[in-house]
Amino acid sequence: GNSVTQMEGPVTLSEEAFLTINCTYTATGYPSLFWYVQYPGEGLQLLLKATKADDKGSNKGFEATYRKETTSFHLEKGSVQVSDSAVYFCALSTTSGTYKYIFGTGTRLKVLA
Amino acid sequence: NAGVTQTPKFQVLKTGQSMTLQCAQDMNHNSMYWYRQDPGMGLRLIYYSASEGTTDKGEVPNGYNVSRLNKREFSLRLESAAPSQTSVYFCASRRGLAGGNTGELFFGEGSRLTVL
């Protein structure tokens, strides 16, 4: 079946450090891939997305590239800020049937000043 | 911009009590979803509604019922609450695929439910 695996947290970084959060997936066909972010006390919101192999999603300095050969969609940011502290979820959606979403377990990021 | 609105935001129940979580979206989306979020388990789909008048079970439907009242509203009901249903519940609606959109989800702020 379809699944998403992302690295365990928490991840603690100093401000301006480089961030990578790993995400790999298992899916049949050609899913769309997403990163969602959840700030404390809030719902999830879309951070970036990619719909086909080699697509790069980007937003607010974050980037992720859809790698079909390694079934990965790793999230990166060159210089994190305290305001990036949140929980990050990798997700895929299938385009067959009822268009369901599969979420990873989330990775908590804490950025220290 | 209201987006997805959930009520209540917090609720404490005793075992065996019933309650309904309300969700409404103002984006004219066809599909709506209910998820629960538990530590270390990510989001798990409880029920979804692909369109007005239809509902289907997700991964963890036991102990829940849903109603898609109209295109805007999708409610989740716990008939006899159990401590295992202590969780944070999120409602979401999905943007359609027209115009090159990729169908991302829009979430409410969540409803934190504690069952004693």
Side-chain angles (χ1 to χ4, degrees):
Chain A
N2 298 329
S3 66
V4 173
T5 302
Q6 61 182 107
M7 63 187 288
E8 296 273 341
V11 174
T12 303
L13 296 173
S14 298
E15 208 165 23
E16 299 184 1
F18 184 86
L19 168 71
T20 299
I21 300 178
N22 291 337
C23 171
T24 57
Y25 68 91
T26 302
T28 55
Y30 301 93
S32 293
L33 301 175
F34 304 85
W35 277 100
Y36 285 83
V37 58
Q38 183 181 29
Y39 298 104
E42 299 183 10
L44 282 72
Q45 57 186 276
L46 180 68
L47 179 60
L48 53 84
K49 61 190 177 188
T51 59
K52 61 183 187 294
D54 300 325
D55 265 4
K56 177 184 284 188
S58 61
N59 186 26
K60 299 181 180 180
F62 291 89
E63 293 183 338
T65 301
Y66 189 144
R67 301 284 188 201
K68 191 161 179 65
E69 64 276 14
T70 54
T71 62
S72 65
F73 192 55
H74 304 322
L75 182 68
E76 296 182 336
K77 187 175 186 183
S79 177
V80 293
Q81 305 300 312
V82 172
S83 57
D84 294 327
S85 298
V87 181
Y88 293 82
F89 291 89
C90 184
L92 67 82
S93 70
T94 59
T95 54
S96 62
T98 51
Y99 213 92
K100 293 182 183 177
Y101 283 75
I102 306 295
F103 284 87
T105 53
T107 302
R108 183 177 298 278
L109 170 66
K110 185 173 182 179
V111 181
L112 304 175
Chain B
N1 293 337
V4 178
T5 303
Q6 292 181 231
T7 56
K9 287 187 167 42
F10 300 95
Q11 184 73 48
V12 179
L13 293 176
K14 294 181 180 177
T15 297
Q17 288 185 316
S18 62
M19 76 159 298
T20 299
L21 299 177
Q22 307 285 354
C23 175
Q25 52 94 9
D26 61 0
M27 296 172 283
N28 202 36
H29 291 166
N30 286 320
S31 300
M32 297 184 73
Y33 303 75
W34 275 106
Y35 288 90
R36 59 178 288 173
Q37 183 180 30
D38 301 294
M41 305 201 63
L43 275 75
R44 293 183 291 170
L45 182 63
I46 305 172
Y47 270 93
Y48 65 98
S49 170
S51 61
E52 185 179 354
T54 68
T55 61
D56 285 287
K57 295 178 181 179
E59 301 171 68
V60 288
N62 291 346
Y64 304 95
N65 285 302
V66 290
S67 296
R68 183 73 182 267
L69 305 170
N70 47 55
K71 192 171 186 179
R72 291 187 66 247
E73 298 172 290
F74 188 39
S75 62
L76 178 72
R77 182 162 178 84
L78 286 69
E79 291 291 353
S80 178
S84 61
Q85 295 178 304
T86 294
S87 187
V88 181
Y89 291 85
F90 287 99
C91 177
S93 66
R94 182 176 70 82
R95 192 175 193 175
L97 298 175
N101 292 318
T102 50
E104 62 262 33
L105 295 176
F106 292 79
F107 286 84
E109 293 186 344
S111 299
R112 185 176 294 276
L113 175 66
T114 301
V115 183
L116 303 175

